[in-house]
Amino acid sequence: MIIPALDILQNRIVRLYQGKYDTAQFYDFDLKERLNEYAASGARKIHLVDLEGARNPDKKQWQFIQEALSELNLPFQIGGGIRNESDISTWLNAGAYQVVIGSMAVSQPEAVKSWINQFNAERFVIALDVNRDGDFWRPATHGWLEKSSYDLFELITFYTELGVTEFLCTDISKDGTMTGPSFSLYSDIKQRFPNINVQASGGVSSLEDITKLNEMDVDGVILGKSLLDGAFTAKEAVACWQNA
């Protein structure tokens, strides 16, 4: 499926380049209007990230985001600043279909395991942001400044054994660049784990990229900058996916 994405910083829609806050590009779109536009496009899910909360959990923008979501009649997944069971229950009670767990899924897998056991594996998307490290894909944490001792496949195995089926994988070198997706990353994952649902994120710049990802059996495509910058519309992306 096509999954339009919106990142929120300082109560505004923003895009970062390769996850760096000092590269923030702000957009003057109204969040609620943009959400409703994406819902009208035929998209089946929305992806949201509280970047302020991810940077500083004491500055979560949840009230602002929840107000914008008040009229949205579409499932959404959300990440950013989710650090404990209370955060998870807050979002699930606010209507989130799934919560997205990133750095903690890498740095504190046992804690995340306990959450999965408590709330059910289907309510989680595990987000693994990776860099190429020799023959391995190595997840990064803490604003992508630190690399994990685990490789990507070890972590996917750990979470699939807990019942998780949804994984959002980003090649950090592609994030926010619109230079094309990391096709090799998704090929490697799908060859090793054909039965998991993979959401591709980062680098998509054309409808041709979407078609190729569909042909690779990627299950979802996260679209952020390409939609905000008008490379194509969400409606065009949905039509492309359906016709691929």
Side-chain angles (χ1 to χ4, degrees):
M1 69 177 78
I2 295 298
I3 309 174
L6 291 167
D7 296 351
I8 316 301
L9 183 68
Q10 299 173 15
N11 289 343
R12 298 173 64 191
I13 295 172
V14 69
R15 288 300 300 171
L16 307 181
Y17 181 84
Q18 296 184 351
K20 299 179 177 67
Y21 281 82
D22 60 2
T23 68
Q25 177 183 356
F26 290 95
Y27 295 83
D28 290 329
F29 302 120
D30 178 82
L31 178 57
K32 181 180 288 188
E33 291 179 0
R34 198 73 181 183
L35 285 167
N36 291 333
E37 177 185 331
Y38 287 162
S41 72
R44 292 164 49 197
K45 187 194 284 188
I46 301 289
H47 176 75
L48 291 161
V49 180
D50 177 4
L51 284 176
E52 200 76 70
R55 179 166 60 175
N56 184 348
D58 293 330
K59 295 184 177 180
K60 294 169 182 171
Q61 304 164 106
W62 290 4
Q63 184 174 353
F64 171 75
I65 295 172
Q66 288 178 15
E67 167 58 28
L69 289 164
S70 61
E71 299 174 8
L72 184 71
N73 188 25
L74 193 70
F76 67 92
Q77 60 187 41
I78 186 155
I82 297 175
R83 298 288 190 272
N84 52 50
E85 295 174 0
S86 176
D87 294 339
I88 295 168
S89 61
T90 294
W91 272 118
L92 295 180
N93 290 335
Y97 178 63
Q98 291 167 312
V99 291
V100 180
I101 308 297
S103 288
M104 288 200 64
V106 180
S107 62
Q108 299 186 48
E110 289 301 321
V112 177
K113 176 181 178 179
S114 71
W115 302 343
I116 291 169
N117 290 335
Q118 179 175 349
F119 293 100
N120 211 321
E122 66 184 12
R123 306 311 295 272
F124 290 84
V125 177
I126 300 299
L128 300 171
D129 305 327
V130 300
N131 283 306
R132 193 76 188 184
D133 184 16
D135 294 332
F136 300 97
W137 292 103
R138 190 76 62 184
T141 63
H142 300 90
W144 296 348
L145 297 176
E146 300 179 17
K147 67 180 181 180
S148 169
S149 59
Y150 301 103
D151 72 34
L152 173 63
F153 292 161
E154 288 176 320
L155 285 169
I156 293 178
T157 298
F158 176 83
Y159 287 107
T160 55
E161 290 176 350
L162 297 175
V164 176
T165 60
E166 295 275 351
F167 293 84
L168 195 171
C169 295
T170 303
D171 180 340
I172 293 169
S173 71
K174 296 289 187 178
D175 183 68
T177 66
M178 290 185 64
T179 57
S182 183
F183 295 114
S184 61
L185 169 62
Y186 305 117
S187 176
D188 288 351
I189 295 171
K190 291 300 287 189
Q191 286 180 18
R192 183 76 172 265
F193 301 94
N195 297 320
I196 67 172
N197 295 326
V198 177
Q199 298 176 13
S201 173
V204 175
S205 62
S206 68
L207 296 177
E208 289 76 16
D209 289 339
I210 293 173
T211 297
K212 187 170 180 179
L213 288 168
N214 186 301
E215 292 170 348
M216 294 173 62
D217 291 328
V218 167
D219 303 275
V221 180
I222 303 283
L223 298 177
K225 186 175 176 62
S226 57
L227 297 182
L228 293 172
D229 286 355
F232 45 80
T233 67
K235 185 174 289 187
E236 288 171 335
V238 170
C240 175
W241 182 265
Q242 292 172 342
N243 295 328

